[in-house]
Amino acid sequence: MIFLNSLARHGDATLFMAKEDGVKSLYVYGSGEAYDAPDGEVIALPGGNVKRCPLTNQNARVLRGLFPFTRPVSHKGRAFTLGLGDRLGLASAGHIRLIRDRDVFPVLAQQSIRELNLTGRTYDDVLSAAVWAVFQEGYRKGYSADGDHLKTREEVKMALDCGFTMITLDCSEHIPNGLAAVVRFAVDIYNEFIRGKDIDFELSVDETHVTTSPEDHYFVARELKKAGVELVSLAPRFCGEFQKGIDYRGDVREFEKEFAVHAGIAKEMGYKLSIHSGSDKYAVFPIIYRETGRNVHIKTAGTNWLEALRVLARVTPGLFRKIHTLALESLPEAKKYYHITEDVSRIPALDTLSDAELPALLEQDDARQALHVTYGQVLAAYKAPIYAALGQYEDEYRAALGLNIGRHLGD
Ligand code: ZN
């Protein structure tokens, strides 16, 4: 199957992507740099040679060199930006189809170090997956790449060296030492790596137990401004709970009041609020969109993992049962990295459910949370069958993603 949207010319070469026996490759025919540069095997055909190139990181780098639209870019000045971290590297094509005709600028590559460790991927892998999706879909409107929740200068350097265009500096660990410590760390990183470059700089303090008061937000913002730090976005820890994979928990009216003040500070300071763990927060999206006028950054990540599992529950119930069992076993380990408040006793026992009832587990909050945070252990055990099934059911996965992300955008 040829991906028709991928057809592209470069000099005297024509390039496209196709899937054969479940494997996607880049095909090049013609001549010139675009034919010579990628690694691949030459297939002799009557009309001339065709080169079949595997979707490697090296070939993705070649593609970025040949086609500027495949390179991530800064999203400064874009109103509504949406982080669509793609944990498996299989969701971006679906994400692109959903947002391409909307007023949404996508951050297709977005992973934290924690996610890299748990999925066994590198920033090169993450960016390459986005590059291939962009090329496959012929998407030319631009996208960004976010090194999410980076905590050290080494991590920041690694993400930038790989070509990432956004740095989310996680200052949560500096909070106990006081806000001045937070500011000093952010200024140092900014001066060393960001100043003068076309890199989007976000500061995040969302992963602490302490709610960020508007006063603290204002203090940090003012000090950073004084130091000449240009923030693109800032992620406070809002009141209530933004837990993974489930709706907002807390007092919505209290959230509304505080959010309005945070939004006012961000607007005055010239950056956007960034909403982390933004997946499935349907109770507060209307407030967020209204108070920011849709000038806001929202990060979603694990939701595409849950949608992948929803597809697996439907098409490979046997595999899903194994995944679900392992997820429950792995929960104590996973909770070292993720703050969730699930109650496993509320999850229906697997052996009481028919195959047809399995997808409904993805509607149950406790099961959602358990499945959301245990991807590391699940992938370590079942990576190959999961990728094989999602490769085979690509259209079903795309449809599921469309429904889910569409709902985030207010469909
Ligand atoms: Zn976060």
Side-chain angles (χ1 to χ4, degrees), residues 114-136:
R114 174 175 60 192
E115 287 175 300
L116 293 183
N117 291 338
L118 289 170
T119 54
R121 299 169 83 206
T122 64
Y123 272 140
D124 261 342
D125 298 335
V126 173
L127 184 52
S128 296
V131 168
W132 292 119
V134 162
F135 192 75
Q136 175 190 308

Side-chain angles (χ1 to χ4, degrees), residues 3 79 124 147 207 254 263 323 361 378 386 397:
F3 295 97
D124 261 342
E207 295 208 351
E254 185 66 28
I323 290 171
L361 284 169
V378 168
I386 288 173
Y397 187 30

Side-chain angles (χ1 to χ4, degrees), residues 87 118-119 244 305-306 309 323-335 337-338 340 367-382 386:
R87 278 188 188 160
L118 289 170
T119 54
K244 306 280 175 191
W305 165 247
L306 288 177
L309 295 180
I323 290 171
H324 184 81
T325 305
L326 180 60
L328 293 186
E329 284 167 16
S330 311
L331 206 47
E333 174 69 19
K335 285 179 75 169
Y337 311 105
Y338 286 102
I340 58 171
R368 280 181 75 80
Q369 290 205 285
L371 290 165
H372 194 295
V373 300
T374 49
Y375 59 94
Q377 289 84 357
V378 168
L379 282 173
Y382 301 117
I386 288 173

Side-chain angles (χ1 to χ4, degrees), residues 114 148-149 168 170 202 204-207 235 244 275-277 299:
R114 174 175 60 192
D148 197 9
H149 277 287
T168 297
D170 182 337
E202 170 170 318
S204 79
V205 290
D206 62 302
E207 295 208 351
K244 306 280 175 191
I275 319 297
H276 286 213
S277 301
K299 297 197 188 194

Side-chain angles (χ1 to χ4, degrees), residues 256-275:
E256 186 169 21
K257 251 177 29 203
E258 283 198 20
F259 187 85
V261 182
H262 284 300
I265 295 169
K267 190 172 178 193
E268 185 191 323
M269 293 291 175
Y271 53 78
K272 301 194 283 191
L273 287 181
S274 176
I275 319 297

Side-chain angles (χ1 to χ4, degrees), residues 245-246 249 306 310 324 342-348 358-371:
I246 57 170
R249 284 193 181 159
L306 288 177
R310 190 194 300 278
H324 184 81
E342 87 308 329
D343 176 354
V344 285
S345 71
R346 289 193 292 238
I347 303 175
L358 293 179
L361 284 169
L362 276 304
E363 305 299 332
Q364 206 272 341
D365 276 359
D366 304 282
R368 280 181 75 80
Q369 290 205 285
L371 290 165

